Structure formats: C-alpha cells, structure tokens
Amino acid sequence: MGRKAKTTSETPAVKETTAAKKVIAEAAKTADKKTETAPKAAAKKAPAKTAPAKAAAKSSVSLKTSLSVQYQGKDFSSDDLFNAAKDVWSKDTGKKIADLKSLDLYVKPEENKVYYVANGNELGSYDL
C-alpha cells in the first residue's frame, strides 16, 4: 500500500522559480492585509526611527555553511563541486574564471552528473 512518488518533467530551476513566486505572492498578500487592518490612529503617529534597525543588522553574525554529497561510497563537498564546474565552464567556453558572475549547480547522483548554469544562460554538465 505504498504511495507512488509524483514525477514531473520540470527542471529544478523551474521548480525553484515557481516556489519562489508563490512565497513572494504570499508575503505580498500578508503585507497588504497588515496595511489594511492597521488602525488609523497608528498612521498619525510620527515615523519610528530606523537607526536601531541598522545597528542590529551590522551586529549580525556571519553564518558559515558547508555541504557534502555522499552517494555510493563517494563524497563530494560543495567546494569540490563548484571548483570542478568553474574549471569545466572555463575549458568549454575558453573564458577566464573571473568572467563568471553566477553559477548554479544541480547534482543528479542517480545519473552521476552535475549540471550547471553559468551567468544565467550558459548550460553545461560534467560527470561526478
């Protein structure tokens, strides 16, 4: 009585974009509702000072992250994956790594592949 997984032909980028649009739309609706329900007396108050908010932003702690993909006895760190993608992109296009402005990776271990989108429109892939 197991459930079958729903399969789609959408790429991860399309799924991510669709999900992001839904989140943005929800946030906009919530913001509109808060604005509509705010008491009129609150609108007459003097604007709040923004200096404390800026001070709080400056004192935020930097977050250190890491990612490791483990599959069939292999282990790949995010640094390894990005460095390999940069090298492959550089060799495939003949451009310098300094010309790279953005790089999105899609790891598909079941295919033993990493797909990348460089600078928003240059597609490529390499084997794990």
Side-chain angles (χ1 to χ4, degrees), residues 18-123:
T18 304
K21 287 180 182 177
K22 287 180 183 179
V23 170
I24 292 170
E26 262 321 294
K29 286 180 186 177
T30 304
D32 289 342
K33 287 180 184 178
K34 287 181 181 178
T35 304
E36 291 172 2
T37 60
K40 292 183 180 182
K44 294 180 183 178
K45 289 184 178 180
K49 294 181 181 180
T50 57
K54 289 180 182 178
K58 289 180 183 178
S59 67
S60 66
V61 177
S62 173
L63 177 65
K64 183 178 179 182
T65 62
S66 69
L67 170 73
S68 180
V69 177
Q70 296 178 339
Y71 182 72
Q72 293 185 345
K74 298 177 184 177
D75 185 33
F76 305 95
S77 72
S78 60
D79 291 339
D80 295 339
L81 297 172
F82 278 106
N83 288 335
K86 289 176 191 177
D87 291 341
V88 170
W89 175 81
S90 177
K91 289 176 185 173
D92 287 351
T93 63
K95 297 179 183 177
K96 296 178 182 178
I97 293 178
D99 296 333
L100 190 59
K101 302 299 178 203
S102 68
L103 183 62
D104 299 315
L105 298 184
Y106 302 93
V107 180
K108 294 197 74 176
E110 66 275 7
E111 294 178 10
N112 202 34
K113 287 270 194 191
V114 176
Y115 297 91
Y116 66 84
V117 179
N119 296 333
N121 62 357
E122 298 175 48
L123 306 174

